[in-house]
Amino acid sequence: MTTSSSRSAEPAMTVAATAGAALLLAAVAVAAVAVGGGELTWTETARSLGSHLGLPVEPLTPLADSVVWDLRLPRVLLAGVAGAGLATCGAVLQAVTRNALADPYLLGISSGASTGAVLVLVAGVGGGVVSLAGGALVGGLTAFALVMLLLGRSASSTGRLVLTGVVVGQLFAALTTLVLLGWGDADAARGMTAWLTGSLAAARWPAVLLCAVVTAAALVVLRLIASDLDAFAFGARSAAALGVPVATVRTVALVTTAAVTAVVVSSVGAIGFVGLIVPHAVRALAGPLHRRLLPLSAVGGALFLVLADTVARTALAPRQIPAGVVTALLGVPAFLVVLRRRERG
């Protein structure tokens, strides 16, 4: 009786926890929009947002309104959806590979996606967010396929996974540099180099909408296979014995995470360690079940990257540093902690 009651209360607790985290995220996002360079006050920021939402407030001048609506708000929202997508990808990759260090950045997927996006730009086959995301998807899938091919049956080995991911990531980083130096002009190379370090400075509404749609769709798909992902903790053979279609679930999970990573990288560059830090923190608080882990990781990832980008654009103001630098400064110590625990375990 007690067990049945606990199971019936579990979805409600998950919804409540996710809703609470989402409210915290909304408050942090509003604060992030209000701070930054310029002379805008919190009241003026609220007036700009209120006027666009149809509230009876006096609108700002076009220039001040553009700072809030066209620059700050899309940047904060893009940080949120990108963080949500990367954290969710990390949680799924850790389940599928049964490796606590799996992450789109460490596995070289982000580097492969960067190469694909740069090739699209240099080849001149399109500069829109959709064509960039398409090129990034091909590059990301190619990099991940190469990692898995090199690993063979050793995907659950921590050392081999990290080394192989680093090697493949460096290979695609070298290819990206080669393409930029060989075929890109100097101005384009400087701009793309800044983008590749993981920056949200160029965030615009089309990228926000594309990332939001793809990330939301991915969350729906991954939620449908959440229980199957739990079974991967016992190994592929045990999962198959439990009735899980292992090959199908693995393919759906990997293609979905590669698609999300590609869209995010094509919009903000390669921002690392979000997919490593956030799932581990959420797993420590909410447990390993993916029906809780996935939505809470999404909200946690959004919160983490919004805060990281806010620090990136305010810590050395008026200078801005890439958000990828902030996440790396936080992610490297976290990586070492996880690696140490993994070795002890």
Side-chain angles (χ1 to χ4, degrees):
M1 181 68 179
T2 302
T3 302
S4 177
S5 300
S6 300
R7 287 178 178 174
S8 62
E10 191 172 320
M13 292 175 61
T14 302
V15 172
T18 306
L23 288 175
L24 176 61
L25 171 62
V28 170
V30 171
V33 173
V35 300
E39 302 297 330
L40 292 173
T41 65
W42 287 59
T43 302
E44 289 172 325
T45 302
R47 282 170 50 195
S48 175
L49 297 177
S51 65
H52 283 279
L53 294 175
L55 299 178
V57 295
E58 181 182 357
L60 300 181
T61 63
L63 180 59
D65 182 68
S66 179
V67 171
V68 176
W69 191 256
D70 296 325
L71 297 179
R72 291 186 184 178
L73 184 58
R75 178 168 183 160
V76 171
L77 293 178
L78 185 57
V81 293
L86 291 174
T88 304
C89 289
V92 173
L93 289 173
Q94 287 160 19
V96 172
T97 63
R98 298 181 64 207
N99 195 309
L101 296 176
D103 161 75
Y105 188 77
L106 291 175
L107 290 182
I109 300 175
S110 296
S111 295
S114 299
T115 304
V118 168
L119 281 172
V120 168
L121 283 174
V122 172
V125 296
V129 292
V130 175
S131 57
L132 281 177
L137 176 60
V138 173
L141 286 173
T142 302
F144 188 72
L146 182 57
V147 169
M148 300 310 292
L149 180 64
L150 294 174
L151 280 172
R153 297 179 179 271
S154 305
S156 60
S157 169
T158 299
R160 285 181 61 88
L161 181 74
V162 172
L163 288 175
T164 307
V166 169
V167 168
V168 172
Q170 288 300 310
L171 170 63
F172 279 92
L175 291 175
T176 301
T177 303
L178 183 63
V179 171
L180 288 176
L181 294 178
W183 289 275
D185 59 70
D187 291 336
R190 280 194 294 273
M192 283 189 276
T193 300
W195 162 68
L196 288 171
T197 57
S199 173
L200 291 122
R204 295 295 183 269
W205 283 109
V208 175
L209 294 176
L210 179 62
C211 279
V213 169
V214 172
T215 301
L219 281 171
V220 172
V221 171
L222 295 172
R223 178 62 182 83
L224 294 175
I225 60 172
S227 299
D228 295 333
L229 292 175
D230 293 338
F232 274 76
F234 305 104
R237 289 185 178 180
S238 299
L242 293 172
V244 175
V246 173
T248 301
V249 171
R250 182 182 283 134
T251 300
V252 170
L254 296 182
V255 171
T256 303
T257 53
V260 173
T261 303
V263 171
V264 170
V265 169
S266 68
S267 300
V268 302
I271 296 179
F273 298 103
V274 179
L276 175 69
I277 297 175
V278 176
H280 281 286
V282 173
R283 197 178 286 113
L285 295 173
L289 296 180
H290 284 82
R291 60 177 174 272
R292 288 197 301 262
L293 182 62
L294 294 180
L296 289 174
S297 290
V299 178
L303 182 61
F304 177 74
L305 197 50
V306 168
L307 288 172
D309 184 59
T310 303
V311 171
R313 61 190 171 91
T314 58
L316 299 179
R319 296 180 179 178
Q320 295 191 19
I321 55 178
V325 173
V326 177
T327 61
L329 291 174
L330 297 172
V332 170
F335 170 82
L336 295 175
V337 170
V338 175
L339 180 61
R340 189 66 177 271
R341 290 181 175 176
R342 177 84 176 184
E343 289 175 345
R344 288 178 176 174

